[in-house]
């Protein structure tokens, strides 16, 4: 798992792996932010937690090479970005093609792309007048937030929502979507054809 923040999604996966709901383990947690709470969550669960590239810019070759080495050393089969605030280069994405997924706090293909992260996503949703938002789990390709969609969940937008209340409601949906999706990917395998993801043989 690649993280930069509080790690509530990471926690949901750690718990689901621990309880057997997901028949896999979180092999390593990598953060570019040294004091990310996510690292503490990993350590508490006994999972290797490492900091890489604390001052690195997105796509910096040495930063990405270090991430690749760590993922390979831990024999990672699926890379999950959960609140990871760096954009991975095309070379990195190609090296792990079809094996890197991301969770985005809106219903893609709307409200995604470069610059659409954190509160900006919810700000844009609220400004648009949309009555539903939600979350999207997708495979990562070169273009941010534009890869094949694996699964989505919708949540209502309330009249009195601000960015924080909307994000909180979405985060509840994110945790179950992520656990359910990773569980199915791990159990049944997956294939990608163009923009279509099929889970199962
Ligand atoms: C999530 O809302 C995710 O969709 C977004 O960043 C947030 C990360 O939250 N990309 P957490 O670190 O898992 O608590």
């Amino acid at each position: 798992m690649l993280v930069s923040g509080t790690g509530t999604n990471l926690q949901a996966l750690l718990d689901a792996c621990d309880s057997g709901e997901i028949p896999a383990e979180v092999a390593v947690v990598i953060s570019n932010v040294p004091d990310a709470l996510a690292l503490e969550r990993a350590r508490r669960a006994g999972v290797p937690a490492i900091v890489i590239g604390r001052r690195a810019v997105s796509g910096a070759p040495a930063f990405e090479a270090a991430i690749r080495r760590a993922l390979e050393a831990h024999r990672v089969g699926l890379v999950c970005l959960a609140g990871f605030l760096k954009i991975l280069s095309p070379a990195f994405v190609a090296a792990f093609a079809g094996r890197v997924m991301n969770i985005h706090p809106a219903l893609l293909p709307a409200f995604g792309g470069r610059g659409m992260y954190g509160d900006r996503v919810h700000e844009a949703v609220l400004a648009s007048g949309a009555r539903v938002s939600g979350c999207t789990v997708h495979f990562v390709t070169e273009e941010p937030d534009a890869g094949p969609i694996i699964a989505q969940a919708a949540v209502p937008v309330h009249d009195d929502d601000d960015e924080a209340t909307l994000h909180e409601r979405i985060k509840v949906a994110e945790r179950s979507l992520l656990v359910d999706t990773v569980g199915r990917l791990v159990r049944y395998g997956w294939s990608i054809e163009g923009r279509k993801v099929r889970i199962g043989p």
Side-chain angles (χ1 to χ4, degrees):
M1 304 244 344
L2 270 56
V3 295
S4 303
T6 55
T8 54
N9 284 300
L10 164 68
Q11 189 67 57
L13 284 187
L14 288 168
D15 293 346
C17 290
D18 190 49
S19 71
E21 190 179 349
I22 297 179
E25 64 182 68
V26 179
V28 61
V29 172
I30 299 171
S31 173
N32 62 310
V33 177
D35 57 358
L37 179 57
L39 289 167
E40 187 48 37
R41 293 178 190 273
R43 290 188 195 108
R44 251 186 271 146
V47 170
I50 54 184
V51 178
I52 294 178
R54 59 185 71 200
R55 284 195 192 83
V57 295
S58 289
F63 170 49
E64 293 197 343
I67 295 178
R68 280 176 67 165
R69 278 196 299 276
L71 295 174
E72 280 156 12
H74 287 88
R75 306 169 60 80
V76 164
L78 178 63
V79 183
C80 180
L81 315 185
F84 183 63
L85 293 178
K86 296 287 177 190
I87 294 173
L88 296 165
S89 71
F92 185 99
V93 171
F96 288 89
R99 292 194 293 141
V100 185
M101 58 186 278
N102 178 47
I103 182 147
H104 182 78
L107 293 176
L108 295 173
F111 307 112
R114 237 166 254 278
M116 273 291 185
Y117 59 86
D119 271 355
R120 291 195 205 171
V121 178
H122 311 300
E123 206 179 290
V125 169
L126 293 173
S128 77
R131 306 309 317 203
V132 288
S133 188
C135 45
T136 302
V137 179
H138 64 94
F139 283 112
V140 173
T141 53
E142 289 188 15
E143 196 52 41
D145 299 329
I149 292 171
I150 312 169
Q152 295 182 297
V155 306
V157 176
H158 294 169
D159 287 341
D160 56 355
D161 266 336
D162 58 22
E163 289 82 354
T165 56
L166 179 57
H167 194 191
E168 235 7 86
R169 193 173 311 116
I170 289 172
K171 288 192 83 165
V172 175
E174 281 189 324
R175 295 194 280 272
S176 24
L177 183 72
L178 194 59
V179 167
D180 175 71
T181 307
V182 173
R184 288 190 296 126
L185 291 172
V186 165
R187 274 201 175 81
Y188 308 120
W190 66 93
S191 58
I192 305 170
E193 251 178 64
R195 293 209 45 84
K196 299 281 174 67
V197 177
R198 177 202 285 273
I199 298 181

